[in-house]
């Protein structure tokens, strides 16, 4: 039986699922519970979720874990939260009820409003202060859309009768039953309203977007006291002692605590994050995000490359090519073919993200011949993921003039050994493939453990066990010509259909 107050629960409120894990004082995962969360698209380009369903899922997952593991409240030390970033939630300050669906990070609302602001001065200011591009992915664009299309809601945000925030702020407020309205730097950095060098909400950025915001969530360090989850909800008061964005939490969970250490998570999209150290780093190449990973005693910065379509490519191919069994079967079909035979897939179904930032582009399938099979197209889908990741790493600066650390990877696509071998070969970098699909909630647990005093140093966290296997690259030159052809195809589509 675990010692009293030895268990930490880690919440991962993602875009597809809600997941909660229970981890003991040795860093071992005792169990996890998962609930799907619905995403709706009421109009083209719109993506919404029910914010209250997020909370209901969390409570159901915690209840399931407590029952399955026979957990008593006295055994739970604290909670950690990791969450999808950029998503906007707006709720009533008194009742705590959301007044509209959450506007999900994938939503393109705000794109038209941002076009008015897209000039050299605005681009420079946003890039310099936030590290971000002027893009509707980020929260400020969604607030700007509210100003133009939901003026009554915007007015109430301006008067203070409504609260706004990213998913972390919403969950903290909901779980503490309104006692804490807060965020942390990694989440705040994704709003386009936060100066990542000075670690403050920036009034000049607020003015740039013409927003009236009566209140901001208080920005605390990532391992702070974020209040106590209500006993009325959880059966006992449980402190919330760690909060992070989901990709930041995965970087933390993988133990990437030193500069240049990196991780890649393959889910609906793919996210490459590289630790950039504790001093504000220089601006990277175009299309790469300079951001905050977390803050303990001092901020830890990161470079991020974001791929819009990764696992979702396989889902799309499974449907369009009538491959039963979903993404896993697409990967098996690709392995059977062993080559794309010159087929090139440019997966710009909702534009291209890093390092291009071309939201208006659309997808292309090129290089087909009469002999092209669905296996070849499936292989082109796997290659498209690998090539996007290589382009991101090159955009950051892949360090060929110095030793590149092993890339730590996780996510649903890594269950395919063929895919991981392909990715290692395309990058020319060894990969450590995590055996766990819970690195994001695991990272939130480690941060919460620091906040609760269970662990004291990053060195202690680095020494915790992390199961997985190492995958070595074959000759990267085998894919060099195909990668160059793929990049040329991207450039052709940008020239014809992209944003200048």
């Amino acid at each position: 039986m675990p010692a009293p107050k030895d268990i930490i629960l880690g919440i991962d409120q993602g875009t597809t699922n809600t997941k909660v894990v229970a981890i003991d004082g040795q860093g071992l995962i005792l169990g996890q519970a998962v609930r799907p969360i619905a995403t709706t698209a009421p109009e083209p380009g719109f993506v919404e979720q029910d914010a209250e369903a997020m909370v209901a899922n969390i409570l159901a997952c915690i209840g399931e874990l407590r029952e399955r593991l026979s957990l008593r409240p006295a055994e739970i030390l604290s909670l950690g939260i990791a969450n999808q970033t950029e998503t906007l939630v707006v709720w009533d300050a008194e009742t705590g009820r959301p007044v509209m669906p959450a506007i999900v990070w994938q939503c393109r609302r705000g794109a038209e409003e941002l076009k008015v602001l897209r000039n050299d001065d605005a681009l420079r200011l946003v890039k310099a202060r936030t590290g971000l591009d002027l893009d509707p992915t980020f929260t400020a664009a969604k607030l700007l859309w509210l100003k133009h299309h939901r003026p009554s809601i915007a007015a109430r945000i301006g008067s203070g009768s409504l609260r706004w925030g990213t998913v972390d702020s919403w969950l903290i407020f909901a779980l503490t039953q309104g006692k804490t309205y807060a965020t942390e730097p990694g989440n705040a950095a994704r709003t386009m309203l936060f100066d990542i060098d000075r670690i403050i909400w920036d009034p000049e950025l607020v003015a740039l977007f013409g927003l009236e915001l009566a209140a901001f969530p208080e920005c605390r360090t990532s391992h702070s006291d974020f209040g106590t989850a209500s006993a009325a909800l959880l059966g006992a008061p449980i402190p919330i002692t760690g909060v992070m964005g989901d990709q930041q939490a995965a970087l933390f969970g993988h133990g990437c605590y030193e500069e240049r250490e990196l991780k890649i998570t393959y889910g609906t999209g793919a996210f490459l994050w590289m630790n950039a150290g504790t001093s504000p780093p220089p601006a990277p190449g175009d299309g790469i995000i300079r951001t905050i990973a977390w803050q303990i005693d001092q901020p830890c910065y990161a470079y991020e490359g974001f791929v819009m379509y990764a696992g979702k490519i396989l889902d799309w191919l499974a449907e369009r090519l009538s491959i039963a069994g979903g993404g896993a079967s697409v990967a098996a079909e690709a392995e059977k073919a062993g080559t794309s035979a010159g087929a090139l897939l440019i997966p710009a179904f909702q534009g291209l993200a890093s390092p291009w930032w071309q939201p208006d582009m659309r997808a292309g399938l090129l290089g087909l011949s009469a002999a092209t099979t669905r296996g070849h197209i499936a292989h082109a889908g796997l290659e498209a993921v690998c090539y996007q990741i290589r382009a991101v790493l090159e955009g950051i600066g892949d360090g060929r003039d110095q030793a590149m650390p092993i890339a730590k990877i996780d996510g649903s696509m890594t269950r395919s050994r063929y895919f991981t071998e392909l990715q290692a070969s395309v990058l020319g970098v060894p990969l450590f493939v995590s055996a766990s699909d819970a690195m994001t909630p695991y990272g939130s647990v480690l941060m919460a453990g620091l906040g609760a005093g269970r662990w004291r140093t990053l060195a202690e966290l680095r020494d915790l066990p992390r199961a997985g296997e190492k995958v070595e690259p074959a000759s990267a030159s085998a894919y060099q010509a195909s990668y160059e052809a793929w990049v040329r195809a991207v450039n052709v589509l940008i020239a014809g259909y992209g944003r200048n």
Side-chain angles (χ1 to χ4, degrees):
M1 177 66 66
K5 298 292 185 184
D6 197 41
I7 305 299
I8 302 175
L9 301 182
I11 297 165
D12 173 16
Q13 182 50 64
T15 311
T16 306
N17 296 304
T18 306
K19 181 180 294 183
V20 179
V21 301
I23 296 178
D24 68 12
Q26 284 68 53
L28 299 176
I29 298 177
L30 303 177
Q32 66 179 35
V34 182
R35 294 284 190 281
I37 185 161
T39 299
T40 59
E43 296 182 34
F46 283 31
V47 186
E48 297 180 347
Q49 288 183 336
D50 181 346
E52 289 187 304
M54 299 176 186
V55 178
N57 275 4
I58 289 169
L59 299 180
C61 286
I62 291 175
E64 179 184 331
L65 278 177
R66 285 188 55 187
E67 182 176 353
R68 192 192 321 153
L69 300 175
S70 300
L71 282 178
R72 295 176 290 109
E75 295 175 294
I76 301 173
L77 176 63
S78 67
L79 290 175
I81 293 174
N83 58 279
Q84 54 172 294
T85 54
E86 295 109 15
T87 295
L88 173 66
V89 185
V90 181
W91 66 94
D92 189 288
E94 292 298 323
T95 68
R97 299 290 303 275
V99 297
M100 60 179 293
I103 304 178
V104 177
W105 60 273
Q106 296 165 315
C107 189
R108 304 312 289 172
R109 267 177 278 195
E112 290 301 314
E113 289 72 25
L114 288 183
K115 287 180 180 178
V116 178
L117 297 176
R118 184 168 283 279
N119 58 65
D120 289 345
D121 288 342
L123 290 169
R124 277 194 294 268
L125 177 63
V126 169
K127 191 77 170 179
R129 298 282 176 87
T130 73
L132 308 174
D133 187 53
L134 195 62
D135 188 87
T137 300
F138 307 112
T139 320
K142 304 174 194 314
L143 288 165
L144 183 59
W145 182 89
L146 288 180
K147 177 182 176 180
H148 286 267
H149 298 275
R150 300 289 187 272
S152 61
I153 291 177
R156 292 186 63 195
I157 294 173
S159 71
S161 65
L162 296 182
R163 293 285 184 261
W164 69 277
T166 44
V167 168
D168 60 316
S169 296
W170 157 243
L171 295 180
I172 293 165
F173 191 96
L175 292 174
T176 63
Q177 295 195 318
K179 291 183 171 58
T180 303
Y181 179 44
T183 187
E184 55 81 46
N187 271 287
R190 315 300 291 191
T191 63
M192 240 176 358
L193 300 172
F194 193 77
D195 186 322
I196 64 172
D197 293 344
R198 294 183 293 161
I199 317 297
I200 60 168
W201 295 110
D202 190 319
E204 193 171 350
L205 290 170
V206 175
L208 172 69
F209 294 103
L211 300 175
E212 294 184 12
L213 304 172
F216 292 82
E218 179 188 349
C219 191
R220 305 178 181 180
T221 62
S222 306
H223 67 330
S224 289
D225 176 1
F226 289 92
T228 301
S230 168
L233 296 176
L234 298 180
I238 301 175
I240 302 170
T241 58
V243 176
M244 308 182 76
D246 51 4
Q247 300 308 317
Q248 295 95 321
L251 187 72
F252 200 75
H254 275 294
C256 297
Y257 307 139
E258 298 295 329
E259 191 170 350
R260 291 184 54 74
E261 291 185 322
L262 67 99
K263 73 89 192 175
I264 311 166
T265 297
Y266 301 86
T268 301
F271 302 84
L272 186 153
W273 280 65
M274 178 184 285
N275 188 314
T278 56
S279 298
D286 290 343
I288 301 300
I289 290 171
R290 178 178 69 98
T291 191
I292 296 175
W294 57 77
Q295 183 179 6
I296 301 174
D297 295 326
Q298 54 189 337
C300 178
Y301 292 89
Y303 292 127
E304 179 200 1
F306 160 47
V307 170
M308 187 81 74
Y309 266 61
K312 201 167 183 179
I313 294 175
L314 305 191
D315 295 337
W316 184 86
L317 289 172
E319 180 182 343
R320 296 303 189 276
L321 301 179
S322 300
I323 299 176
S329 296
V330 173
E333 194 81 20
E335 182 176 5
K336 190 189 305 181
T339 177
S340 63
L344 299 170
L345 175 61
I346 314 302
F349 299 101
Q350 287 182 281
L352 286 177
S354 307
W356 304 278
W357 286 110
Q358 291 286 336
D360 300 325
M361 267 187 64
R362 289 299 174 261
L365 181 57
L366 311 173
L368 305 185
S369 74
T372 300
T373 68
R374 70 178 190 174
H376 296 145
I377 296 173
H379 204 282
L382 292 189
E383 290 176 4
V385 179
C386 296
Y387 294 159
Q388 288 177 99
I389 291 297
R390 176 167 169 178
V392 167
L393 193 54
E394 289 181 352
I396 293 173
D398 65 0
R400 295 196 185 278
D401 58 338
Q402 55 184 299
M404 191 68 199
I406 187 170
K408 300 173 183 179
I409 70 172
D410 66 284
S412 57
M413 292 186 70
T414 66
R415 302 285 77 88
S416 167
R417 176 67 185 233
Y418 186 75
F419 169 74
T420 60
E421 290 174 346
L422 179 64
Q423 181 70 91
S425 296
V426 167
L427 293 179
V429 171
L431 307 178
F432 181 81
V433 185
S434 174
S436 171
D437 63 354
M439 295 311 294
T440 294
Y442 186 71
S444 77
V445 163
L446 298 189
M447 186 61 75
L450 284 180
R454 176 59 187 81
W455 298 291
R456 300 289 182 182
T457 66
L458 295 180
E460 286 183 71
L461 301 184
R462 185 184 288 278
D463 291 340
L464 294 174
R466 294 173 177 86
E469 65 170 331
K470 188 176 183 180
V471 176
E472 295 286 352
S475 172
S477 61
Y479 289 95
Q480 183 65 29
S482 179
Y483 173 67
E484 291 174 355
W486 185 87
V487 171
R488 286 197 298 273
V490 170
N491 290 334
V492 166
L493 288 180
I494 290 173
Y497 305 103
R499 183 174 67 193
N500 294 325

